[in-house]
Amino acid sequence: MKNYFSILLIICVVNFLSASEDTKTKNDPPTKKKAFVVMIDPGHGGRDTGTPGTGRYKTTEKDIALDVSLALGKMLKKIPNVKVIYTRTKDTYPTLQNRAIVTNKKKADLFISIHCNAQPGKKGTAYGSETFVLGLSKNKANLEVAKRENSVILMEDNYEETYGGFDPSSPESLISLIIMQEEYLDQSIEIASYIQKEFKTTGKRKDRGVKQAGFWVLSKTYMPSVLVELGFLTHKKEEDFLNSKKGKSVMTKSLYNAVKKYISLHMDTSNEEEITEEETEEVKTSKVYKGITFKVQLAASSKKMATKSYNFKGLDQISREKVNKIYRYFYGKTSDYEEIKRMKEEAVRKGYKDCYIVAYKKGTKISLAEALK
């Protein structure tokens, strides 16, 4: 009888523990997976137009890169647990350094920089799509692509200091970049191969292959990273294709298929907090000049107009200045040179194609060159 009660007690305890575990499982919140973060970098932007192609279109490399990037991001956001961030969402110019900084800060799992290609010198023969990963290349054409994409740093003030003496035209400088991305090279080549396969099958483009070259922006991103050249804007038929709605759609779909495949194979399955809030972040740069005021001059006229937005194509922050018998009209007022450049770009988009930046010191107009010193 004693053994009988002992066995009965054990059974009761086991049933109780089992029931408690079931209750705990039902009541506990479901485990969440870490979001897979994709950083999309539309190449160039703002005053850096990239390649203009043959000149038959008003759009340039920066425009096509942005259109495809935004469309790709929109599609990727529909994949469960995928977060998309952009280095720019408008016609602005984030420096190469800031593109890398924000990518690393957001701990992206994949970095994709989107560009269009150009054939230096003679035009019209080279065509097709190619994807680059960071690496040394003895191929002269690959080296020239890297030099061209890296050369945008020369547009920045104090670039020697910012980029630690990096010289876009120096092979020695390119060599110094390579070691930083070695850890991620295999995965970078993997995603690049998926992209090229999709360009060939889905996009029906000439496959120029996966290539290696020394790109500064790839060297400073600490995750698998690729730079995509959609096609050559110096080739008339390819330029027509990339400027068309259909062409952009086909290239976007190709990129989407490739990235989706890569994500499915590399999605983190660890139990970490999910990032549920959609985030579209644009890299913003600033460069403040103390004591200097920048404005965008929109127009000059003998007619006095009210400084209302309806008189200036919807732009606000309008000011007016009379010099002799002429009224000058300005947009914006800031000591941040990067901000005034963004405002100028906005004014251009509104139709003020001939607007320009002016500078003032203690209320007196000075030359822009003097202000930037």
Side-chain angles (χ1 to χ4, degrees), residues 47-48 93 95-96 147-160 163 165-169:
R47 68 187 187 281
D48 174 23
Y93 173 65
T95 65
L96 291 187
K147 285 181 179 179
R148 185 175 67 250
E149 299 295 358
N150 290 333
S151 67
V152 298
I153 71 173
L154 301 177
M155 302 175 69
E156 301 173 30
D157 296 329
N158 301 320
Y159 73 88
E160 297 96 338
Y163 295 92
F166 176 79
D167 180 0
S169 63

Side-chain angles (χ1 to χ4, degrees), residues 110-349:
L110 181 63
F111 176 85
I112 304 175
S113 189
I114 298 177
H115 295 254
C116 296
N117 222 331
Q119 185 180 20
K122 56 183 180 179
K123 294 184 178 181
T125 56
Y127 67 99
S129 306
E130 53 195 19
T131 303
F132 286 87
V133 299
L134 188 69
L136 279 177
S137 176
K138 295 181 180 179
N139 183 288
K140 185 177 179 181
N142 293 359
L143 186 62
E144 289 303 317
V145 173
K147 285 181 179 179
R148 185 175 67 250
E149 299 295 358
N150 290 333
S151 67
V152 298
I153 71 173
L154 301 177
M155 302 175 69
E156 301 173 30
D157 296 329
N158 301 320
Y159 73 88
E160 297 96 338
E161 181 179 345
T162 302
Y163 295 92
F166 176 79
D167 180 0
S169 63
S170 166
E172 290 76 18
S173 287
L174 296 179
I175 291 172
S176 69
L177 301 179
I178 309 307
I179 195 171
M180 301 178 185
Q181 260 278 329
E182 279 189 45
E183 181 181 349
Y184 308 101
L185 183 58
D186 288 344
Q187 289 175 304
S188 297
I189 292 174
E190 179 187 359
I191 178 62
S193 66
Y194 296 157
I195 290 172
Q196 285 305 121
K197 183 178 180 180
E198 284 295 327
F199 280 160
K200 183 178 180 180
T201 57
T202 302
K204 309 299 181 185
R205 313 311 298 162
K206 178 183 177 181
D207 177 15
R208 293 175 63 89
V210 176
K211 301 181 178 181
Q212 289 185 286
F215 295 94
W216 193 94
V217 71
L218 295 186
S219 76
K220 301 299 182 182
T221 50
Y222 306 129
M223 70 284 302
S225 304
V226 294
L227 187 145
V228 177
E229 297 280 4
L230 299 172
F232 285 77
L233 295 184
T234 46
H235 187 279
K236 288 185 178 180
K237 287 187 177 179
E238 199 151 68
E239 183 183 42
D240 292 342
F241 176 77
L242 292 174
N243 269 287
S244 69
K245 185 176 180 180
K246 179 182 177 182
K248 292 174 186 175
S249 176
V250 167
M251 299 308 280
T252 301
K253 180 63 175 177
S254 300
L255 286 168
Y256 169 77
N257 289 344
V259 176
K260 183 180 179 182
K261 179 179 180 180
Y262 180 86
I263 290 174
S264 69
L265 296 173
H266 294 274
M267 178 78 80
D268 190 351
T269 57
S270 61
N271 296 333
E272 297 185 35
E273 184 178 356
E274 181 182 14
I275 302 174
T276 55
E277 181 181 345
E278 272 193 8
E279 182 175 352
T280 299
E281 182 163 327
E282 180 180 356
V283 178
K284 291 187 177 181
T285 57
S286 64
K287 191 163 188 179
V288 175
Y289 288 78
K290 293 182 179 180
I292 302 294
T293 299
F294 298 106
K295 300 179 183 180
V296 178
Q297 183 164 326
L298 301 174
S301 171
S302 59
K303 182 181 179 182
K304 183 178 181 181
M305 294 186 293
T307 54
K308 302 294 184 181
S309 61
Y310 56 75
N311 281 332
F312 297 90
K313 303 181 181 181
L315 294 175
D316 54 9
Q317 301 182 54
I318 301 296
S319 59
R320 182 182 61 223
E321 175 185 278
K322 186 178 182 181
V323 178
N324 297 323
K325 295 182 179 181
I326 301 297
Y327 292 97
R328 293 175 181 170
Y329 297 91
F330 305 94
Y331 170 49
K333 182 179 180 182
T334 178
S335 295
D336 188 336
Y337 186 55
E338 293 299 325
E339 177 63 24
I340 204 64
K341 286 191 292 185
R342 287 191 282 268
M343 298 183 84
K344 180 191 172 185
E345 289 161 5
E346 183 181 3
V348 170
R349 289 195 298 271

Side-chain angles (χ1 to χ4, degrees), residues 10-22:
I10 292 172
I11 293 173
C12 290
V13 170
V14 169
N15 287 338
F16 174 78
L17 292 175
S18 177
S20 298
E21 187 64 29
D22 288 342

